[in-house]
Amino acid sequence: MGGPSPCASCKLLRRRCAKDCIFAPYFPSDDPHKFAIVHKVFGASNVSKMLQELPIHQRGDAVSSLVYEANARVRDPVYGCAGAISYLQNEVSKLEMQLAVAQAEILCIQMQQQPNYLPTNHIDVQAGEKSHLLSADFNNNMSQYLGFPSSSNVIQDPLKRESLWT
Amino acid sequence: MISGRCAACKYLRRRCPSHCIFSPYFPPNDPQRFACVHRIYGASNVGKMLQKLPPHLRAQTADTLYTEAKCRIQDPVYGCVGIISHLHQQIHIAESQLAKTQAEIAVLNSIAREAQVQEIEADSNFFNNLLPEEITAAGLRSYGYGPPSTQTFRFN
């Protein structure tokens, strides 16, 4: 009677899959491509170190994000995920602009209909909230990293649990 | 010459050859850059990735590898994938707000159009009800359709 099948990592690395193999819970033998791509970009040793530095309940998400990044890097060897970030930031900027134009249009219409109309607190609060939402601090932080052209690939939301983390 | 080593070869404690793949992109004055990249990807993987690309794309590649490595060090669980997800959320929120605002514009425009139509109909009814002799300059003035000094309205 044979023992349990080695995980995808140990199969690829051609070694015995220990009972407490750090990769086994996250790289099952039925999906060899998942580990192959992570190993290609990050290397098994680096992945092992990263996982060991994390509490167990966070390792699943860490593996998923590593797989996502590795796929992005293989798809786009020059820009990887940074290309996706640049593209999405452009989209956010475009939407901010469209929203500002639409809000200005509402004000114009309201002022035409009521010449003595003054903006209410409600609209100011909305504008303030939107400004906060659409100009998060990390955008300012990322801007110092990013001067890359946009990737033309449409990037799916990687943390939609039903699509990626299952 | 040992003092001419790039940051990678200094970090790896080796001689820096004249055609070192790392030296154009990891200068000795920024040791942290290679340290970050090495910690996440490993020198061997970075070297292979750079080797596979034409020289004119390697600088950009080194930059993006450094960016992603930094993100991963700052957020060991999600790395730059966390940023991508947050941007998706921002886009979703902005699209919802835009749709709501555009719907408000449509409603306001519709109300304005209705008000205009009602005003036109009211004027039309008024003029239709005037007797022929009242449709003169003097007659219109008496109904307020004249110079400001004769702003009086009388409806049948």
Side-chain angles (χ1 to χ4, degrees):
Chain A
M1 195 146 108
S5 140
C7 69
S9 329
C10 295
K11 266 192 186 170
L12 186 78
L13 299 171
R14 295 183 189 176
R15 65 185 196 189
R16 191 178 66 85
C17 191
K19 268 190 221 171
D20 57 351
C21 173
I22 193 155
F23 298 118
Y26 317 107
F27 297 102
S29 56
D30 59 358
D31 191 0
H33 173 75
K34 188 175 170 187
F35 181 76
I37 203 161
V38 164
H39 177 54
K40 182 175 177 177
V41 175
F42 296 99
S45 170
N46 291 327
V47 173
S48 172
K49 281 184 212 164
M50 284 190 247
L51 292 179
Q52 277 170 357
E53 286 170 4
L54 290 170
I56 293 175
H57 69 277
Q58 289 184 323
R59 290 179 187 173
D61 281 353
V63 165
S64 298
S65 68
L66 287 168
V67 170
Y68 186 94
E69 272 190 50
N71 274 307
R73 182 59 64 175
V74 166
R75 220 172 21 235
D76 186 348
V78 180
Y79 296 106
C81 276
I85 290 172
S86 184
Y87 169 79
L88 292 170
Q89 282 200 318
N90 283 340
E91 291 300 296
V92 169
S93 298
K94 276 191 231 168
L95 284 166
E96 275 182 342
M97 215 165 343
Q98 288 172 16
L99 190 58
V101 165
Q103 286 169 340
E105 198 176 331
I106 285 192
L107 283 174
C108 283
I109 294 171
Q110 287 170 334
M111 284 169 77
Q112 281 169 7
Q113 289 175 353
Q114 299 171 29
N116 297 326
Y117 174 79
L118 288 172
T120 63
N121 285 341
H122 174 64
I123 290 179
D124 287 342
V125 164
Q126 278 184 328
E129 283 173 355
K130 285 161 195 164
S131 172
H132 171 70
L133 283 169
L134 298 177
S135 304
D137 287 341
F138 79 80
N139 276 341
N140 294 329
N141 291 335
M142 282 308 295
S143 65
Q144 65 178 310
Y145 302 147
L146 295 175
F148 314 126
S150 309
S151 161
S152 59
N153 295 327
V154 175
I155 305 296
Q156 298 296 320
D157 183 350
L159 293 183
K160 269 190 184 164
R161 293 193 172 267
E162 66 274 14
S163 66
L164 185 72
W165 269 203
T166 50
Chain B
M1 190 164 151
I2 293 177
S3 62
R5 287 187 297 173
C6 69
C9 292
K10 271 191 184 173
Y11 187 95
L12 298 169
R13 294 181 188 175
R14 67 183 195 190
R15 190 178 66 85
C16 191
S18 54
H19 298 296
C20 175
I21 187 81
F22 299 114
S23 65
Y25 321 111
F26 298 98
N29 60 351
D30 191 359
Q32 195 223 9
R33 182 175 158 96
F34 183 77
C36 278
V37 164
H38 176 66
R39 180 173 163 182
I40 301 302
Y41 297 102
S44 172
N45 287 334
V46 174
K48 284 183 207 164
M49 284 192 249
L50 292 177
Q51 290 276 12
K52 283 183 186 171
L53 292 165
H56 69 280
L57 292 176
R58 289 176 186 168
Q60 201 69 287
T61 303
D63 285 343
T64 60
L65 286 172
Y66 174 52
T67 298
E68 288 183 34
K70 270 184 89 161
C71 287
R72 180 60 62 174
I73 289 167
Q74 284 168 3
D75 183 352
V77 180
Y78 297 109
C80 60
V81 171
I83 295 173
I84 290 175
S85 184
H86 194 97
L87 284 168
H88 271 286
Q89 283 176 26
Q90 283 199 324
I91 287 173
H92 177 72
I93 290 170
E95 282 174 343
S96 303
Q97 288 170 344
L98 185 62
K100 186 180 161 195
T101 307
Q102 286 170 340
E104 282 177 32
I105 290 171
V107 166
L108 287 172
N109 281 335
S110 165
I111 291 172
R113 271 196 298 275
E114 253 195 62
Q116 278 180 351
V117 165
Q118 284 173 2
E119 199 179 318
I120 290 168
E121 280 177 357
D123 285 349
S124 171
N125 285 338
F126 172 73
F127 280 107
N128 286 341
N129 290 333
L130 287 177
L131 297 170
E133 58 271 21
E134 289 173 315
I135 306 177
T136 61
L140 287 174
R141 270 202 296 276
S142 72
Y143 287 102
Y145 287 91
S149 60
T150 58
Q151 284 287 327
T152 56
F153 293 93
R154 203 172 75 204
F155 292 94
N156 290 336

